[in-house]
Amino acid sequence: MADVAIPVVKPKLAGYVGFHNLPNQVHRKSVKKGFQFTLMVVGESGLGKSTLVNTLFNTSLYPGKEAKELSGETPKTVEIQTISADIEENGVKLKLTVIDTPGFGDFVNNEDSWRPILENIEARYDAYLEQENRVNRKRIVDTRVHSCLYFIAPTGHSLKPLDIEFMRRLAGRVNLIPVIAKSDTLTEDEIKAFKIRILEDIAFHKIQIYQPPQYENDDPETIQENRDIISRIPFAIVGSDKEVEVNGKKVRGRKYPWGVIEVDNEEHCDFVKLRQMLIRTHMEELKEYTNEVLYESYRMQKLAGVGLDDGSGAGNVNPLAKFEEERIAHEQKMAKMEAEMKAVFQQKVAEKEAKLKQSEEELYARHREMKEQLEKQRLELEEKKKRLESGRPGTPEKTKTKKGGLFNK
Ligand SMILES: Nc1nc2c(ncn2[C@@H]2O[C@H](COP(=O)(O)OP(=O)(O)OP(=O)(O)O)[C@@H](O)[C@H]2O)c(=O)[nH]1
């Protein structure tokens, strides 16, 4: 039966109903529950990832790293590190999780450095999916990555092949937000040109980066704010968790002989706009996009068993082909085990045979020795006998019989 379109009636309320308070109810509940956000930072070694995280949340999430830096060392993040912190502002609680990934680019072969990062993102989707599929789904813990800051080295040229490879692999799985690291090392004009080139590269390679949505029914101020944010992508950032003095006032920034770059000054860098997008205006958008688009697409592909790239560079994987591949791999493994066992068995048999041969030879040798000894003894006895016989005086050659006849012996 075809659906019949039901006309939407827009009645005028005769009196107070009270549902205008619904947003307040949501607000109260959310504040009570608290908020949660997971941010990942990815990029080459030493680009200021850890420093930016501290700067963003105005808190020191890396006490160990800082202590090392103070003692003159150059501390490095060497493995994927997850740091959680409960922070509170005006009674609103935020459980913040930062996933700091080790800087790459230090190795001779950096080809596969993206793999553990992508695996980490997907493992978090898998953990969520597994919880959703449980009978009891009361307490689902969401550890999915809601946004990923990708740090681009301030070269002023264009994206490096490694950056393109990384971004291509991560895009479509996570909200990718490109940032130009340590932008205090570039001039304003250099930053402008660099941004254009980065965006051209991103468009050319069809890399899907996070695009803040625009809503027509937003108020003009929000629309303008949104436009401002979009125009700053990729954000040129400066990180510093130290304070410097400017006109007698302490500000977060970096001091140079020619002046001070202030982190929280919109004229100096895009840090404020990035923070605004991540925390003040788009945190919920980022979470929603992760849940409704990125996770959903991963989930669909996973459940349908098709289209998941296994990272081998072979593209999408057919589940039957994958199964067949696994079966062949299993058989090969079994055959290898069998051959190894056979080799061990043969070696053991050969060892035993050698041992037996040795005992046999020893026995022969003993036997020969004993035989020789016996022969020697026999010869000696023979000799003795001869001697005794020859030594007996007047021993007749012939013995007389009782009757005196002769008897030949
Ligand atoms: N000029 C400049 N230096 C910065 C900036 N941010 C951080 N640094 C310095 O760069 C060095 C490396 O900073 P980290 O935050 O440890 O860099 P990272 O990317 O976490 O390093 P890995 O753990 O090796 O990946 C430190 O000495 C920071 O003080 C910045 O915006 N500009």
Side-chain angles (χ1 to χ4, degrees):
M1 204 177 80
D3 282 347
V4 180
I6 301 167
V8 179
V9 200
K10 291 190 175 168
K12 246 190 140 80
L13 297 178
Y16 177 79
V17 179
F19 59 80
H20 78 278
N21 201 40
L22 275 176
N24 293 338
Q25 289 183 34
V26 176
H27 174 84
R28 253 186 54 224
K29 262 201 106 70
S30 316
V31 169
K32 199 166 153 241
K33 252 174 58 185
F35 295 84
Q36 177 259 334
F37 188 67
T38 303
L39 172 75
M40 185 182 244
V41 287
V42 176
E44 261 179 62
S45 194
L47 284 185
K49 299 185 285 295
S50 313
T51 309
L52 187 85
V53 168
N54 281 342
T55 320
L56 258 179
F57 297 96
N58 220 353
T59 175
S60 179
L61 290 173
Y62 302 89
K65 208 168 181 181
E66 241 169 43
K68 276 190 186 169
E69 199 165 359
L70 284 176
S71 69
E73 278 182 59
T74 313
K76 274 187 176 186
T77 309
V78 289
E79 55 187 15
I80 295 184
Q81 217 182 348
T82 305
I83 308 148
S84 281
D86 291 309
I87 47 183
E88 195 173 332
E89 189 180 60
N90 297 340
V92 178
K93 291 185 195 118
L94 173 68
K95 186 181 175 62
L96 169 74
T97 304
V98 174
I99 306 159
D100 195 354
T101 61
F104 49 81
D106 289 349
F107 312 109
V108 180
N109 184 2
N110 296 295
E111 239 176 49
D112 275 356
S113 6
W114 53 268
R115 196 185 291 273
I117 295 171
L118 182 66
E119 279 172 1
N120 188 290
I121 294 171
E122 292 188 344
R124 288 162 185 274
Y125 284 149
D126 286 336
Y128 195 85
L129 183 58
E130 192 267 323
Q131 293 180 82
E132 273 190 333
N133 290 339
R134 276 190 207 154
V135 178
N136 183 354
R137 304 192 305 176
K138 259 190 195 154
R139 277 172 188 260
I140 293 191
V141 183
D142 184 6
T143 59
R144 294 171 299 181
V145 183
H146 300 119
S147 73
C148 170
L149 295 183
Y150 186 84
F151 284 63
I152 299 165
T155 59
H157 308 302
S158 52
L159 285 182
K160 295 179 190 174
L162 192 58
D163 288 327
I164 294 167
E165 180 68 4
F166 248 89
M167 291 171 84
R168 245 179 18 87
R169 297 285 182 176
L170 302 188
R173 278 283 174 265
V174 71
N175 284 315
L176 201 60
I177 302 168
V179 299
I180 300 173
K182 298 185 176 179
S183 69
D184 51 319
T185 57
L186 298 173
T187 65
E188 213 172 300
D189 289 342
E190 282 170 338
I191 292 175
K192 258 189 206 157
F194 193 29
K195 280 189 176 188
I196 293 171
R197 243 163 284 145
I198 291 172
L199 289 177
E200 279 171 358
D201 279 351
I202 286 175
F204 180 79
H205 293 281
K206 297 191 177 63
I207 297 168
Q208 186 192 331
I209 58 169
Y210 178 67
Q211 287 296 338
Q214 309 226 53
Y215 303 113
E216 277 171 20
N217 51 357
D218 271 343
D219 58 81
E221 203 184 316
T222 311
I223 290 177
Q224 189 47 47
E225 227 175 32
N226 225 0
R227 281 199 191 129
D228 227 29
I229 287 175
I230 294 169
S231 72
R232 302 280 187 127
I233 296 173
F235 299 93
I237 51 159
V238 175
S240 171
D241 34 22
K242 300 199 180 60
E243 290 190 322
V244 288
E245 212 169 290
V246 178
N247 302 328
K249 255 177 57 190
K250 293 249 181 202
V251 294
R252 294 193 303 174
R254 303 192 86 88
K255 201 169 191 160
Y256 290 98
W258 41 263
V260 167
I261 291 269
E262 293 173 40
V263 166
D264 297 282
N265 187 336
E266 283 193 46
E267 307 276 305
H268 292 192
C269 70
D270 299 332
F271 170 78
V272 173
K273 279 280 168 272
L274 170 68
R275 185 183 54 195
Q276 183 181 335
M277 183 184 93
L278 280 180
I279 306 171
R280 202 159 68 77
T281 56
H282 288 76
M283 189 179 272
E284 280 307 307
E285 292 281 1
L286 287 158
K287 288 175 71 175
E288 197 175 289
Y289 193 79
T290 305
N291 185 47
E292 290 176 8
V293 181
L294 301 167
Y295 168 68
E296 205 51 31
S297 114
Y298 179 81
R299 180 179 160 275
M300 267 166 58
Q301 290 173 7
K302 183 98 187 180
L303 294 183
V306 289
L308 282 188
D309 193 333
D310 68 350
S312 63
N316 292 346
V317 177
N318 176 329
L320 285 180
K322 182 119 185 96
F323 179 73
E324 184 60 15
E325 211 175 89
E326 277 170 12
R327 191 186 63 76
I328 293 170
H330 179 73
E331 272 176 10
Q332 280 170 348
K333 200 171 149 194
M334 292 303 286
K336 195 170 161 231
M337 269 170 69
E338 204 179 313
E340 278 170 5
M341 277 168 74
K342 224 179 201 167
V344 171
F345 178 73
Q346 276 169 354
Q347 192 191 344
K348 289 253 182 263
V349 168
E351 277 171 13
K352 201 84 195 164
E353 272 178 0
K355 242 184 188 159
L356 281 172
K357 203 162 178 188
Q358 196 186 349
S359 328
E360 197 183 0
E361 272 167 13
E362 279 170 7
L363 269 174
Y364 270 131
R366 248 178 87 94
H367 179 248
R368 216 178 308 127
E369 205 180 301
M370 277 172 72
K371 211 172 146 189
E372 279 167 9
Q373 259 179 11
L374 282 172
E375 182 63 15
K376 206 170 144 200
Q377 276 176 11
R378 195 184 65 78
L379 288 173
E380 275 171 9
L381 282 171
E382 198 85 19
E383 190 74 15
K384 218 173 177 178
K385 187 180 157 204
K386 264 189 200 158
R387 261 203 322 270
L388 279 171
E389 277 174 355
S390 63
R392 218 186 279 166
T395 309
E397 288 229 345
K398 291 164 189 162
T399 316
K400 274 185 186 168
T401 60
K402 260 187 187 171
K403 289 176 182 171
L406 280 175
F407 173 74
N408 272 339
K409 220 182 160 188

